[in-house]
């Protein structure tokens, strides 16, 4: 790892007053729940502030270095996991299976494209959900919307929907145990490349995609045996024995994020130690809002969702606000424009930043612009729409000479029936068979692998790394 200079983001440069972990409170806060008991909330915040950090500043800096590689066209980012993690679905098996499918996708992508894949989970903290409406009405009854398990419960009763500050502590503790297991899986042998076959779950292995994966896994195994036969000690190489796996979530509930923000003793900078990477959602990206203010002051690498209403001048101003010194790897833009709009909306945004010489990473979230209600009332997405947005994302970047830096998807390792089509060829009648998401529909393991093979092809087609053609 290269030596790190003091990060310039600790203090807001565009605000006349100094940034502090609590200065966001002077700004308008979008998407805030209506807390019925503020004294209880403040007590929970004080308790959380005494807890150990979930991640370390040095890990966040390493991720920023990795993302700078993505920005330079020398790596690809795979960011994936649940739409919303559930307090009721945090078993070791569920976490392991999610990790398995992400590792499989990364292998498929790396093997086909030769480009290193940076792996970031929407996990160990992805509990909060922004909502289009503050309230939900059913049969004349109007209740506070479900905002994710860090705030309330999805059951439709007044009691369940009441925001409960104790949930902030529960979210912290579940994040601790999830992260603990992830660290064990990714460094304790499970993620060693020699176990590439073991990541293929039985129900996936029988599918077309599973068989295609097995072919790659066989070839990797043969290559490892060859290296061993040549006298190379595979146990010596940490890159073969484990993987770097980072955590991320939408930084929506600012009292929680503030309580986990710590000053790094090495650099003096503030880091939000609830995750390595925090992103700003499409509903909380107001330039003069509390979320942008808070995140501008922490030194973690950041994400910013870019939805269909984003203008190119607005985007530039947000980049300058969140990344005032144009530091590579600091800011990742996650476009989520929809398959029908991306080819019209993305080019002017990418062009603007390219022409300004910006160093932001571009990635594609092909999920959030492609959600609709099935005839049975379930929220769903068509695999073909997801694929179409992704392939158009690659074509736009190819045409503009910029690097399509990554993929941001909602998925699970389970055999769920939430998205239509793809490897498992699901149709609307299948949706109720195993629909377990508490928020948006996720790709199941087979659909995820199918997606990875397609993206691997797009990456292969996109003439390898930018090299000298830098922006
Ligand atoms: C999400 O990523 O789950 C989400 C709510 O996205 P967006 O802010 O882009 O709508
Ligand atoms: Co979602």
């Amino acid at each position: 790892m290269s030596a790190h200079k003091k990060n310039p983001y600790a203090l807001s440069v565009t605000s006349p007053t100094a940034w502090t972990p609590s200065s966001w409170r002077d700004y308008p806060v979008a998407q805030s729940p209506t807390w019925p008991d503020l004294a209880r909330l403040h007590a929970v915040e004080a308790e959380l502030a005494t807890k150990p950090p979930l991640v370390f500043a040095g890990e966040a800096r390493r991720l920023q270095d990795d993302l700078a590689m993505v920005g330079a066209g020398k790596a690809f980012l795979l960011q994936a996991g649940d739409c919303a993690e559930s307090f009721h679905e945090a078993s070791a098996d569920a976490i392991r299976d999610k990790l398995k499918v992400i590792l499989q996708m990364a292998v498929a992508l790396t093997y086909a494209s030769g480009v290193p894949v940076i792996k970031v989970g929407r996990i160990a903290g992805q509990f909060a959900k922004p909502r289009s409406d503050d309230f939900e009405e059913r049969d004349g009854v109007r209740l506070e919307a479900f905002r994710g398990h860090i705030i309330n419960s999805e059951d439709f009763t007044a009691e369940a929907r009441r925001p409960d500050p104790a949930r902030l502590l529960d979210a912290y503790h579940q994040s601790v145990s999830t992260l603990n297991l992830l660290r064990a899986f990714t460094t304790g042998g499970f993620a060693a490349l020699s176990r590439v076959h073991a990541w293929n779950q039985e129900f996936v292995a029988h599918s077309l995609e599973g068989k295609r994966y097995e072919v790659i896994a066989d070839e990797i195994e043969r290559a490892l045996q060859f290296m061993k036969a040549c006298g190379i000690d595979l146990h010596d190489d940490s890159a073969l024995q484990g993987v770097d796996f980072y955590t991320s979530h939408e930084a929506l509930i600012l009292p929680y994020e503030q309580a986990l923000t710590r000053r790094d003793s090495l650099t003096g900078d503030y880091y939000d130690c609830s995750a390595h990477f925090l992103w700003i959602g499409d509903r909380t990206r107001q330039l003069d809002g509390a979320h942008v203010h808070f995140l501008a002051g922490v030194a973690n690498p950041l994400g910013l969702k870019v939805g269909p209403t984003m203008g190119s001048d607005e985007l530039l101003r947000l980049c300058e606000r969140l990344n005032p010194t144009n530091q590579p790897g600091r800011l990742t833009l996650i476009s989520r424009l929809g398959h029908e709009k991306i080819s019209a909306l993305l080019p002017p945004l990418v062009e603007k930043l390219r022409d300004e010489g910006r160093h932001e990473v571009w990635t594609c979230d092909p999920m959030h612009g492609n959600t609709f209600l099935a005839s049975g009332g379930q929220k769903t997405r068509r695999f073909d729409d997801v694929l179409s947005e992704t392939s158009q994302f690659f074509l736009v970047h190819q045409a503009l000479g910029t690097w399509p830096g990554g993929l941001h998807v909602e998925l699970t390792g389970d055999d769920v029936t939430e998205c239509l089509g793809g490897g498992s060829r699901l149709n609307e009648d299948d949706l109720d068979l195993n629909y377990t998401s508490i928020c948006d529909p996720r790709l199941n393991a087979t659909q995820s692998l199918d997606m990875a093979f397609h993206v691997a092809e797009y990456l292969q087609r996109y003439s390898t790394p930018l090299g000298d053609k830098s922006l």
Side-chain angles (χ1 to χ4, degrees):
M1 206 201 318
S2 56
H4 291 281
K5 294 191 212 73
K6 182 165 165 47
N7 194 306
Y9 303 109
L11 290 181
S12 156
V13 296
T14 53
S15 162
T17 52
W19 184 96
T20 70
S22 64
S23 52
W24 60 269
R25 293 172 193 266
D26 293 334
Y27 295 77
V29 187
Q31 293 285 331
S32 178
T34 321
W35 296 102
D37 184 350
L38 278 177
R40 177 78 187 114
L41 174 65
H42 295 150
V44 166
E45 287 176 83
E47 188 175 345
L48 270 176
T50 66
K51 300 282 186 201
L54 279 148
V55 303
F56 300 113
E59 297 171 332
R61 284 195 285 272
R62 198 173 66 219
L63 173 58
Q64 179 156 332
D65 286 348
D66 287 351
L67 291 170
M69 294 279 291
V70 175
K74 297 189 169 97
F76 189 76
L77 170 64
L78 175 61
Q79 190 170 9
D82 279 317
C83 177
E85 286 176 273
S86 164
F87 281 0
H88 314 299
E89 243 189 67
S91 69
D93 287 359
I95 295 163
R96 181 201 58 205
D97 292 347
K98 220 166 287 166
L99 179 65
K100 271 184 183 179
V101 73
I102 293 173
L103 293 176
Q104 281 188 279
M105 289 176 81
V107 158
L109 285 165
T110 310
Y111 192 80
S113 68
V115 174
V117 173
I118 312 306
K119 293 165 275 294
V120 178
R122 289 174 60 114
I123 199 164
Q126 175 51 22
F127 292 109
K129 296 317 299 172
R131 306 317 307 226
S132 310
D133 293 311
D134 284 345
F135 295 94
E136 184 181 343
E137 198 167 319
R138 289 190 206 169
D139 303 326
V141 180
R142 193 162 166 272
L143 298 176
E144 169 120 6
F146 170 52
R147 293 181 179 276
H149 281 168
I150 193 170
I151 300 294
N152 56 9
S153 155
E154 68 274 32
D155 298 339
F156 195 73
T157 66
E159 175 59 20
R161 291 294 173 92
R162 187 171 303 124
D164 180 359
R167 287 176 170 269
L168 268 57
L169 285 165
D170 294 341
Y172 170 80
H173 288 297
Q174 183 166 318
S175 300
V176 168
S177 65
T178 301
L179 189 53
N180 183 48
L181 195 65
L182 284 171
R183 289 190 192 279
F185 277 140
T186 52
T187 58
F190 177 82
L193 202 52
S194 57
R195 292 185 48 98
V196 66
H197 275 292
W199 305 334
N200 209 359
Q201 295 193 69
E202 207 162 310
F203 75 87
V204 181
H206 291 126
S207 68
L208 219 61
E209 291 70 27
K211 289 184 181 130
R212 200 169 163 191
Y213 173 82
E214 286 294 313
V215 173
I216 296 178
D218 281 343
E219 288 180 25
I220 290 173
E221 201 168 38
R222 257 202 305 279
L224 291 175
Q225 273 164 7
F226 173 75
M227 284 158 72
K228 214 164 135 194
C230 292
I232 298 168
D233 186 356
L234 304 181
H235 292 287
D236 243 17
D237 194 325
S238 62
L240 297 177
Q241 291 308 319
V243 294
D244 284 333
F245 188 86
Y246 300 100
T247 59
S248 72
H249 61 259
E250 178 175 351
L252 188 64
I253 307 302
L254 295 179
Y256 179 83
E257 304 302 338
Q258 180 193 329
L260 287 168
T261 296
R262 306 281 186 270
R263 196 161 207 160
D264 174 34
S265 53
L266 209 62
T267 60
D269 294 334
Y270 283 105
Y271 281 82
D272 181 347
C273 297
S274 69
H276 300 109
F277 178 103
L278 288 315
W279 79 83
I280 304 176
D282 199 41
R283 295 168 186 81
T284 48
R285 59 173 169 74
Q286 301 78 15
L287 257 166
D288 50 2
H291 292 82
V292 168
H293 175 83
F294 175 76
L295 286 161
V298 295
N300 307 58
L302 304 177
L304 175 69
K305 288 289 194 95
V306 176
T309 59
M310 178 79 90
S312 50
D313 287 338
E314 185 186 11
L315 177 61
L316 178 60
R317 270 181 289 144
L318 279 163
C319 292
E320 288 169 346
R321 181 90 180 81
L322 294 165
N323 187 12
T325 54
N326 200 12
Q327 193 167 334
R330 158 69 171 173
L331 183 58
T332 295
L333 304 172
I334 307 162
S335 71
R336 33 88 82 221
L337 300 164
H339 75 284
E340 285 170 334
K341 295 183 180 161
I342 182 170
S343 64
L345 297 183
L346 187 60
L349 300 173
V350 175
E351 262 173 321
K352 178 82 176 180
L353 298 195
R354 183 198 61 184
D355 296 348
E356 291 285 335
R358 299 291 313 177
H359 289 145
E360 275 72 32
V361 169
W362 277 105
T363 69
C364 177
D365 165 0
M367 313 298 288
H368 287 90
N370 296 310
T371 317
F372 67 98
L373 289 183
S375 48
Q378 311 91 334
K379 245 191 195 185
T380 191
R381 291 159 174 157
R382 279 189 203 91
F383 183 84
D384 286 349
D385 296 346
V386 168
L387 210 55
S388 162
E389 179 159 355
T390 312
S391 76
Q392 293 178 69
F393 172 82
F394 273 81
L395 290 175
V396 167
H397 282 285
Q398 189 146 31
L400 296 176
T402 46
W403 178 240
L407 180 71
H408 181 121
V409 280
E410 290 182 341
L411 57 72
T412 174
D414 303 331
D415 198 10
V416 299
T417 55
E418 298 171 4
C419 290
L420 303 171
S424 37
R425 289 159 198 68
L426 290 173
N427 61 50
E428 289 208 11
D429 295 335
D430 301 321
L431 286 176
D432 284 335
L433 292 176
N434 191 23
Y435 195 113
T436 60
S437 174
I438 55 168
C439 197
D440 288 341
R442 304 158 296 177
L443 300 175
N444 62 28
T446 316
Q447 290 167 327
S448 301
L449 203 49
D450 195 356
M451 180 84 198
F453 283 123
H454 280 97
V455 174
E457 273 166 32
Y458 304 153
L459 263 172
Q460 257 177 326
R461 223 174 293 152
Y462 185 103
S463 54
T464 38
L466 284 175
D468 294 333
K469 296 193 282 165
S470 48
L471 298 179

